[in-house]
Amino acid sequence: MRSKQFACAATPGSESYHRLARTSLFRWWIPPLAVLVFAVLLFFLWVGVVVVMTIFAILGGSGLAPDSVRVGEIAGLAFGLSAIALLIPVTLFVARVVQWRRAGSLFSVAGRMRWRWLARCVFGAAVPLTLGAGLFVFLGDTPAGAGAVGDNGGTEVLAAAAFVIVLLVPFQAAAEEMTMRGLVMQLVGSLGSPSGDSAFSRVLRSPWPAVLAGGTLFAALYAATHPGAPWNTVSLVVFGLGMAWLTWRTGGLEAAIGLHVVNSLVQLSLCALTGRLSEVGTGAVVGGGLLADTDTPVTLVLTVAQVGLYLLLVTGFARRRGVSRRSAAAQP
């Protein structure tokens, strides 16, 4: 009796990824309630993070810690990545408790993270990102003096930064994808009624509204806070739309997480090596894209090249491996 009381709705059968939140328990008020609960939880969690960061900053700035500026930069990076990683439990809570469905349906049509497929995507992401990083350096789209000797703080600082980056970036990248390409796409995709035959309902059931929402929301938030960075904003749109489409095409978040993880590892490592950790989160480095603080057309060109090549590689992998785009057929 107790297990039935806490049981959740079954994953819809033979549905694309963006429609997995349209379960038998779906009601019209669930999407707005999910957004409200998400916002409230995020507010209180981030208030806690800000309080901890403030306490740490006071202690670090008091002179009690050696090289407090460098310690503060690394601590700020760790807290920033951790704050974003908190989106993981928040999104899982919203899916399981508010939408009353299997939390695993947030990851893929298989109802879980497909780890082997994720590993292949990470491997595939290394190719365009390596080429992109080389072009990034070759084209000189970096701030003057960023690579000056001694700017990175030395071996100990680099080791500490590398530890934080390798440990937390996978959670940060997964959290952003679970929110933008996961929760957002499935919230929008749940709006179209399966029994409705109107043109409006057919449009909502199609993947394109979900892809547009999941692919542009982060860029819109970035543009609102950085109105003077149009090239970075357009680059984020390209990245977001590419990852949203790939999520629908491959039936899960693994492909988007793979590129996001490798991308963030590359860009944050470059920031550590060139002594630019203080710029993380200020607009010089933003989620998903390998962006320069100069906000030039080069940023857009590199993003288009990287995302385009990755789409070709991953769709080819998915075709050869027979990666499922739809959930399993409903059991009679």
Side-chain angles (χ1 to χ4, degrees), residues 286-317:
V286 293
L290 187 60
L291 305 179
D293 58 356
T294 48
D295 187 53
T296 67
V298 173
T299 299
L300 178 59
V301 172
L302 291 177
T303 302
V304 170
Q306 292 168 1
V307 172
L309 179 56
Y310 185 69
L311 292 181
L312 292 175
L313 288 172
V314 171
T315 51
F317 287 162

Side-chain angles (χ1 to χ4, degrees), residues 145-206:
V149 178
D151 284 352
N152 56 28
T155 304
E156 292 184 359
V157 172
L158 285 177
F163 175 78
V164 169
I165 291 169
V166 172
L167 178 66
L168 296 179
V169 157
F171 297 101
Q172 166 258 334
E176 290 189 11
E177 294 305 324
M178 288 170 66
T179 304
M180 295 299 167
R181 260 63 73 179
L183 192 62
V184 170
M185 282 186 64
Q186 291 184 342
L187 279 173
V188 175
S190 69
L191 298 178
S193 172
S195 59
D197 294 326
S198 66
F200 182 69
S201 184
R202 287 196 297 271
V203 169
L204 287 178
R205 290 200 303 269
S206 75

Side-chain angles (χ1 to χ4, degrees), residues 134-154:
L135 286 174
F136 190 78
V137 174
F138 176 76
L139 294 174
D141 200 25
T142 54
V149 178
D151 284 352
N152 56 28

Side-chain angles (χ1 to χ4, degrees), residues 221-239:
L221 296 174
Y222 177 82
T225 56
H226 301 82
W231 293 109
N232 285 355
T233 299
V234 177
S235 297
L236 286 174
V237 171
V238 171
F239 182 89

